[in-house]
Amino acid sequence: MKEQLEALREASRALIDEAVDVEALEALRVRYLGKKGELTALLKQMGKLSAEERPVMGQLANRIRGELESRLEERRSDLAARAQEEKLREETVDVTIPGNVTRLGVKHPMNTVLDEIKEAFVSMGFDVLDGPEVEYADYNFTRLNTPANHPAREWTDTFYFEEDSSILLRTQTSAMQIHAMEERELPIRVIIPGRVYRKDEVDATHSPMFHQIEGLVVDRGVTMADLKGTLNLLVEKLYGKGTVTRFRPHHFPFTEPSCEMDVQCHECGGKGCRVCKGEGWIEILGAGVVHPKVLEGCGIDPNVYSGWAFGMGLERLALRRFNISDLRLIFENDVRFLEQFR
């Protein structure tokens, strides 16, 4: 039996030293030390030995078991260290290689102006509302005191969904005036930005889809002077002190009196060019005192309350804010153009 134990010791030592990975090492452990392993099988033959040989062979077997366990553990540690070293070698980062530059996007110039306008009005106590782009003609026209024969209600000017002309893509954010006066408690101070749609031809200052910002104030003692003061303050916040503006009399069905507000053309400084169509001024909004019929239609007594409203084109404000000469540049998604605002 001694010869068998010694032979097992030598064979196992060579195989353990040659094991290439942890799986092979585990297989050797099972082969020699498992319940059905070679060393276990030899120990089962101890009963055949004489009383004098049994303790000697037992000590030898235990010593060999200890050696096997120790050698297996050493080899396992060695393999683990080599695996870790190999992993570190494979995952080594060469810090001298130039990194990959991640190009960050920038805020669109129109969103920049929108945020500036929101900030200006919120600082004056206004709330910011949102509204539906698909609207009823009743809200978009009728309840804004726009008669049935008004040119804006024609199929040639407005995108309708149905033949009966009751549902449309809103032509103005003014429809949200009615929603606000129906749903909110007085006094009301709100702005409503959003997309609107009209059958306009595309040119340097027009688009069939554009953005408006509606403003509405309803309170006791509100006058046209409050409207002009608020709008001049906004324009100076956007374009700087001393920005030249003008108010022109106009007509809107839902305001009385009504006006349009212009800013001096940024391209020509008021001399006249293709951007301002030779006028020296660019219209940015229409405004006025809310018509008494509109207030009455929303259940507000015009003898007690008054209000003013405006609707401004966001694209035109962005043109003036960044000295952009053509509105189409805003929608063309040319990265070369947009990167200028980084």
Side-chain angles (χ1 to χ4, degrees), residues 221-274:
V222 172
T223 69
M224 189 76 169
D226 301 314
L227 168 64
K228 293 178 68 175
T230 302
L231 293 179
N232 277 324
L233 178 61
L234 170 68
V235 168
E236 287 198 340
K237 285 195 173 187
L238 287 176
Y239 305 139
K241 290 285 185 181
T243 299
V244 181
T245 64
R246 73 176 183 181
F247 289 83
R248 293 179 288 105
H250 197 72
H251 168 72
F252 297 109
F254 38 87
T255 53
E256 181 61 39
S258 303
C259 67
E260 286 189 337
M261 181 182 182
D262 304 332
V263 293
Q264 196 171 76
C265 178
H266 58 277
E267 188 73 9
C268 64
K271 297 178 182 178
C273 65
R274 70 179 184 88

Side-chain angles (χ1 to χ4, degrees), residues 31-223:
R31 173 180 173 180
Y32 290 112
L33 302 179
K35 291 182 179 180
K36 297 181 180 180
E38 294 182 14
L39 181 60
T40 305
L42 287 174
L43 291 175
K44 289 180 179 178
Q45 300 177 20
M46 293 284 287
K48 300 178 181 180
L49 300 176
S50 64
E52 292 80 11
E53 292 178 316
R54 199 174 299 141
V56 177
M57 292 300 103
Q59 289 178 359
L60 179 60
N62 288 334
R63 188 162 56 251
I64 292 174
R65 176 185 292 276
E67 290 176 3
L68 280 172
E69 291 175 346
S70 177
R71 187 170 291 276
L72 285 167
E73 186 59 35
E74 289 177 3
R75 185 60 177 169
R76 183 176 290 106
S77 298
D78 183 49
L79 290 173
R82 291 186 183 183
Q84 180 69 17
E85 184 179 346
E86 183 64 24
K87 183 179 181 181
L88 291 173
R89 187 182 304 110
E90 292 175 356
E91 296 179 357
T92 297
V93 177
D94 186 350
V95 295
T96 65
I97 298 177
N100 297 321
V101 178
T102 301
R103 297 183 65 190
L104 299 178
V106 296
K107 188 184 292 187
H108 195 281
M110 211 163 60
N111 286 338
T112 298
V113 175
L114 176 59
D115 288 344
E116 291 174 352
I117 293 171
K118 285 181 179 179
E119 183 179 350
F121 276 104
V122 169
S123 71
M124 291 187 279
F126 284 67
D127 294 331
V128 181
L129 304 184
D130 192 14
E133 295 178 22
V134 178
E135 187 59 274
Y136 289 104
D138 187 49
Y139 282 88
N140 196 81
F141 292 124
T142 306
R143 298 184 65 182
L144 288 169
N145 198 37
T146 305
N149 61 353
H150 194 282
R153 302 187 73 152
E154 295 293 331
W155 282 82
T156 54
D157 284 354
T158 299
F159 296 100
Y160 288 96
F161 280 83
E162 300 178 353
E163 292 184 3
D164 63 4
S165 305
S166 64
I167 301 176
L168 48 81
L169 288 176
R170 65 181 179 186
T171 63
Q172 54 194 358
T173 48
S174 302
M176 273 301 293
Q177 287 186 35
I178 308 302
H179 290 289
M181 287 189 281
E182 283 185 336
E183 299 167 7
R184 298 177 73 87
E185 295 182 0
L186 296 170
I188 297 171
R189 290 179 178 82
V190 296
I191 61 168
I192 309 106
R195 283 184 289 266
V196 298
Y197 305 86
R198 298 178 189 176
K199 290 183 179 178
D200 284 338
E201 295 297 326
V202 177
D203 61 26
T205 56
H206 292 83
S207 170
M209 186 284 294
F210 57 100
H211 296 75
Q212 274 191 345
I213 302 175
E214 190 75 13
L216 174 67
V217 170
V218 180
D219 202 349
R220 298 174 186 266
V222 172
T223 69

